[in-house]
Amino acid sequence: MTAFPLPQRPMPAAKPGEFCFSAAGLAHGHIVGMTRGLLEAGATLASVWDEDPQKVAAFVRAFPQAHPARCLDELLGAPDVRLVASAAVPSERCALGLRVMAAGKDYFVDKAPVTTLEQLERARLAASKTGRKYMVYYSERLHSEAATFADLLIRSGEIGRVIHMDGFGPHRLGAASRPDWFFDKARYGGILCDIGSHQLEQFLYFTGSQDARVLSARACNLAHPEHPGLEDFGDCTVTAPNGATGYFRVDWFTPDGLSTWGDGRTFIVGTDGFVELRKYVDLASGRPGGNMVYWANRHGEFRFNAEGQVGCPFFSRLIRDCIERTENAMTQEHAFRAAQLCLEAQALADRAH
Amino acid sequence: MTAFPLPQRPMPAAKPGEFCFSAAGLAHGHIVGMTRGLLEAGATLASVWDEDPQKVAAFVRAFPQAHPARCLDELLGAPDVRLVASAAVPSERCALGLRVMAAGKDYFVDKAPVTTLEQLERARLAASKTGRKYMVYYSERLHSEAATFADLLIRSGEIGRVIHMDGFGPHRLGAASRPDWFFDKARYGGILCDIGSHQLEQFLYFTGSQDARVLSARACNLAHPEHPGLEDFGDCTVTAPNGATGYFRVDWFTPDGLSTWGDGRTFIVGTDGFVELRKYVDLASGRPGGNMVYWANRHGEFRFNAEGQVGCPFFSRLIRDCIERTENAMTQEHAFRAAQLCLEAQALADRAH
């Protein structure tokens, strides 16, 4: 690879007890990744709550330091808790966030952060009124060392100006282990709103765009008639004001023989080169693990295994943002704008039916 | 890989002198691949013509058996010539084809076979009236052993029903060595008509579709203001009547450091697995050459180097089709339908400007 300095892996952003958070709403397993990311960045886990005691018990087994709150109000009333992380059912995330923010705490919610434009409007208003954050765990960028490294490459000018991004977000269905809400579109929001949100967030980020226009969108159920509420395939094209274009597809067709939950890829095309991220598996390569970054530019073809090399600076930045009221991890507008694009894409796909 | 028999590499389809062809119109280097494909399949090269004597001389150096015809009429008047292969300037391909077919010979033309709907209509009429073939060298499938192997995989049911295809067709610009017509949209037809044609043909073929609808299309010049007639980026989404969806992008942004002219990829998603073709390079893998096929299905992750293994049966089938008046290599309707889709995509992109 061409020479540029690798960054230090992120240092803890807070001393023990300096930045306490709680987990509330454990419907999606992403809460584990969110919690781990915060803990590794130096946050202190105070308490946990969910309406399902079994989910709370499983969480406490994984994170014994978490005190099980008797009710949400107890958790929200704890003065030392500065941030509440949630992976509630998508359609319920906004309502929870409004309570969190009204309680004077920042909110860190799994994607998709909202499932309707009305929720988005309420979240925007609450963020503006309370000054609290409504941050979103767009994990396929924020919790991916391949994405961290790609960001470095791009910022170093290795591929010139970014003109296009493709994202593939295939996921394993595992229908038998999914809860009811997973098959209820009103609750998960549709495939473009749900797993499509990762893709549109990455498009905005990697193309350096504050906004984009959805040009086309599709969402459908191609092969799962036994789950009529499931959208098993979706895709979308977008255009940024600077002319950069994007495409993504998402689906629930990861085959059983794949060694991980999905062969997630990101392709970023620049005027002077391109980057490919093989995020979770380097298909049939014999190399275990993901986080492989491949690229080509004026100087040659390169690859780099980012696993364990560059970390995920989002979490430490988020902690400092919450403490210092800055926006270095992610701006509020970016988080909301990505969510809005997803809703627009989903609405366009829905209108085609 | 899962067990299924590899086919025999194609045998010569004709004895020496049994199937004679000529080359007329050498504007694009694809004429070399077309000629080699026919020769390897057993055809006999009779003659060559182009208005540029330098191009004829270069062709004869590569293929000394080719007799330089004094004029096109001499070539067309030779009774033993059964097929004329051409890589003329795209906008001139149809007019030449009409002469070839009127002379009672089959026509085998580089993609894009036409640049306007009017040309397509004339070609359709001529094919119908003369009974001669207007076949198209969609090389990115027909002359790719990776594509031959993927076809085998799909027909063997390895990935279930095909529901989606993505095609990436990046190309190296090499502006200094390009002729004038390359930068004149009226002559090359636009990027979706030109290099996009490979992609739409593959979509129809791999999804088993006789037709498709263009949902969105973009074509633009993002980074080459010195060549205002060049479209350096284009992309398109299509939907087949059976619900299969497709996306492709094409561009002229291959960076100088890539070891070949373009990192062409095809991704085919099925209900039970998916296939990825790395056609010309397996990026930064350390493996020279392309024709790598990667796939995953219920049984695991697999890869296969198809180089030199499965051949390109299109050419021998084409020769037999011409002799026996069959349509095993490619139906006339498929060739025309793919061309029509390209024109529809290009027109949709053009209307957006």
Side-chain angles (χ1 to χ4, degrees):
Chain A
M1 55 181 279
T2 47
F4 59 83
L6 279 182
Q8 296 288 314
R9 294 207 59 187
M11 300 290 285
K15 293 189 287 283
E18 183 186 356
F19 184 82
C20 292
F21 75 103
S22 297
L26 312 177
H28 196 295
H30 276 174
I31 192 65
V32 174
M34 298 164 76
T35 300
R36 284 199 183 128
L38 287 167
L39 290 174
E40 286 170 11
T44 301
L45 176 57
S47 58
V48 57
W49 173 84
D50 190 274
E51 58 194 5
D52 180 347
Q54 289 192 319
K55 285 197 167 59
V56 172
F59 189 86
V60 172
R61 278 196 298 277
F63 304 104
Q65 68 270 51
H67 164 71
R70 278 164 300 176
C71 62
L72 181 59
D73 279 334
E74 179 194 322
L75 182 147
L76 293 179
D80 60 327
V81 170
R82 305 181 68 144
L83 176 142
V84 174
S86 178
V89 172
S91 60
E92 299 166 13
R93 287 172 185 170
C94 177
L96 177 58
L98 299 183
R99 289 181 67 182
V100 169
M101 295 159 90
K105 301 176 194 315
D106 291 315
Y107 189 46
F108 178 42
V109 65
D110 187 23
K111 67 76 228 168
V114 293
T115 55
T116 68
L117 282 171
E118 293 70 25
Q119 291 172 16
L120 180 62
E121 190 52 34
R122 277 190 226 115
R124 280 188 188 277
L125 274 173
S128 171
K129 189 172 155 195
T130 66
R132 297 301 97 185
K133 295 178 184 293
Y134 193 110
M135 288 287 105
V136 184
Y137 182 60
Y138 293 112
S139 56
E140 294 186 20
R141 181 175 67 85
L142 303 176
H143 219 165
S144 159
E145 291 192 275
T148 302
F149 186 74
D151 189 22
L152 272 167
L153 280 177
I154 293 165
R155 288 173 185 269
S156 302
E158 288 287 306
I159 64 165
R161 175 166 60 92
V162 172
I163 56 167
H164 183 75
M165 192 197 102
D166 301 290
F168 296 169
H171 286 61
R172 180 168 285 137
L173 181 56
S177 68
R178 296 290 184 177
D180 287 351
W181 62 261
F182 183 87
F183 300 103
D184 181 349
K185 186 170 167 182
R187 301 180 79 196
Y188 74 83
I191 193 169
L192 299 177
C193 171
D194 179 15
I195 53 180
S197 60
H198 294 291
Q199 304 295 333
L200 284 163
E201 192 278 333
Q202 284 173 93
F203 175 76
L204 290 179
Y205 185 82
F206 284 124
T207 62
S209 303
Q210 306 206 323
D211 198 3
R213 189 172 60 86
V214 176
L215 179 65
S216 69
R218 296 180 282 210
C220 49
N221 183 322
L222 288 171
H224 297 90
E226 72 279 21
H227 298 298
L230 176 72
E231 291 178 335
D232 60 18
F233 181 88
D235 71 356
C236 174
T237 55
V238 284
T239 310
N242 69 1
T245 54
Y247 170 77
F248 73 83
R249 65 164 159 87
V250 285
D251 69 60
W252 293 101
F253 284 105
T254 290
D256 290 345
L258 194 80
S259 58
T260 188
W261 57 269
D263 186 6
R265 308 264 191 118
T266 307
F267 301 86
I268 303 162
V269 182
T271 50
D272 298 329
F274 62 91
V275 182
E276 175 184 0
L277 285 63
R278 301 181 190 161
K279 287 188 177 174
Y280 314 113
V281 58
D282 195 358
L283 184 63
S285 67
R287 271 187 298 278
N291 282 309
M292 288 297 299
V293 181
Y294 289 77
W295 72 103
N297 59 20
R298 294 180 179 183
H299 308 293
E301 300 177 10
F302 310 95
R303 73 178 182 204
F304 182 72
N305 184 341
E307 185 95 32
Q309 297 296 311
V310 290
C312 297
F314 169 78
F315 295 96
S316 48
R317 288 179 190 155
L318 175 62
I319 291 171
R320 296 314 305 174
D321 279 351
C322 290
I323 294 173
E324 295 161 16
R325 312 317 296 168
T326 49
E327 291 205 305
N328 296 315
M330 177 185 287
T331 68
Q332 187 61 71
E333 182 54 26
H334 175 85
F336 283 150
R337 184 59 63 175
Q340 183 172 337
L341 268 181
C342 300
L343 296 173
E344 290 169 358
Q346 188 70 50
L348 184 60
D350 291 349
R351 279 201 297 277
H353 285 296
Chain B
M1 57 181 276
T2 49
F4 59 85
L6 279 182
Q8 296 286 316
R9 294 206 58 187
M11 300 287 287
K15 295 189 287 283
E18 183 186 354
F19 184 82
C20 291
F21 74 103
S22 296
L26 312 176
H28 196 294
H30 275 174
I31 193 65
V32 173
M34 298 165 76
T35 300
R36 285 199 182 129
L38 288 167
L39 291 174
E40 287 169 11
T44 300
L45 176 58
S47 59
V48 57
W49 173 83
D50 190 275
E51 59 193 6
D52 180 347
Q54 290 192 320
K55 285 196 167 57
V56 172
F59 188 85
V60 172
R61 278 195 297 278
F63 304 104
Q65 68 269 54
H67 164 70
R70 276 164 302 177
C71 62
L72 180 59
D73 280 333
E74 179 194 321
L75 182 148
L76 294 179
D80 60 327
V81 170
R82 303 181 69 145
L83 177 144
V84 174
S86 177
V89 172
S91 61
E92 299 166 13
R93 288 172 185 171
C94 176
L96 177 58
L98 299 182
R99 290 182 67 181
V100 168
M101 296 160 90
K105 303 176 192 316
D106 291 315
Y107 189 46
F108 178 42
V109 65
D110 187 25
K111 67 74 227 169
V114 294
T115 55
T116 68
L117 282 170
E118 292 71 24
Q119 291 172 16
L120 179 62
E121 191 52 33
R122 278 190 223 115
R124 280 189 188 275
L125 275 173
S128 170
K129 188 173 155 194
T130 66
R132 296 301 97 185
K133 294 178 184 296
Y134 194 110
M135 287 287 105
V136 185
Y137 181 60
Y138 293 113
S139 56
E140 293 186 20
R141 180 175 67 86
L142 304 175
H143 218 165
S144 159
E145 291 191 276
T148 302
F149 186 74
D151 189 21
L152 273 166
L153 281 177
I154 292 165
R155 287 173 184 270
S156 304
E158 289 286 307
I159 64 166
R161 173 166 61 91
V162 172
I163 56 168
H164 183 76
M165 192 197 103
D166 301 289
F168 296 169
H171 286 61
R172 180 167 284 136
L173 181 56
S177 67
R178 297 287 185 178
D180 288 350
W181 63 262
F182 182 89
F183 301 102
D184 181 349
K185 187 171 168 182
R187 300 180 80 196
Y188 73 85
I191 192 169
L192 298 177
C193 171
D194 178 14
I195 53 180
S197 59
H198 294 291
Q199 304 294 335
L200 285 164
E201 192 278 332
Q202 285 175 93
F203 174 76
L204 290 180
Y205 185 81
F206 285 124
T207 62
S209 305
Q210 306 205 324
D211 198 3
R213 188 172 62 84
V214 176
L215 178 66
S216 69
R218 297 181 280 210
C220 48
N221 183 322
L222 288 171
H224 297 90
E226 72 279 22
H227 298 297
L230 176 72
E231 290 178 336
D232 58 20
F233 181 89
D235 71 356
C236 174
T237 55
V238 284
T239 310
N242 69 1
T245 53
Y247 171 76
F248 73 84
R249 66 165 158 87
V250 286
D251 70 59
W252 292 101
F253 284 105
T254 291
D256 290 345
L258 194 79
S259 56
T260 187
W261 58 269
D263 185 6
R265 307 264 190 118
T266 307
F267 302 85
I268 303 163
V269 182
T271 51
D272 298 330
F274 62 91
V275 182
E276 175 184 1
L277 285 65
R278 301 180 191 163
K279 287 188 174 171
Y280 315 113
V281 59
D282 194 357
L283 185 62
S285 67
R287 272 186 297 279
N291 283 308
M292 288 298 298
V293 181
Y294 289 78
W295 73 104
N297 58 22
R298 294 180 180 186
H299 308 294
E301 299 178 11
F302 309 96
R303 71 179 184 205
F304 182 72
N305 185 341
E307 185 97 33
Q309 298 296 311
V310 291
C312 297
F314 169 79
F315 295 96
S316 48
R317 290 179 189 154
L318 175 61
I319 291 171
R320 296 314 305 175
D321 278 352
C322 290
I323 294 173
E324 296 161 17
R325 310 319 295 169
T326 49
E327 291 204 307
N328 296 315
M330 176 183 288
T331 67
Q332 186 60 72
E333 181 54 26
H334 175 85
F336 283 151
R337 184 60 60 175
Q340 184 173 335
L341 268 182
C342 300
L343 295 173
E344 289 170 359
Q346 188 72 50
L348 183 60
D350 290 350
R351 279 201 298 277
H353 284 296

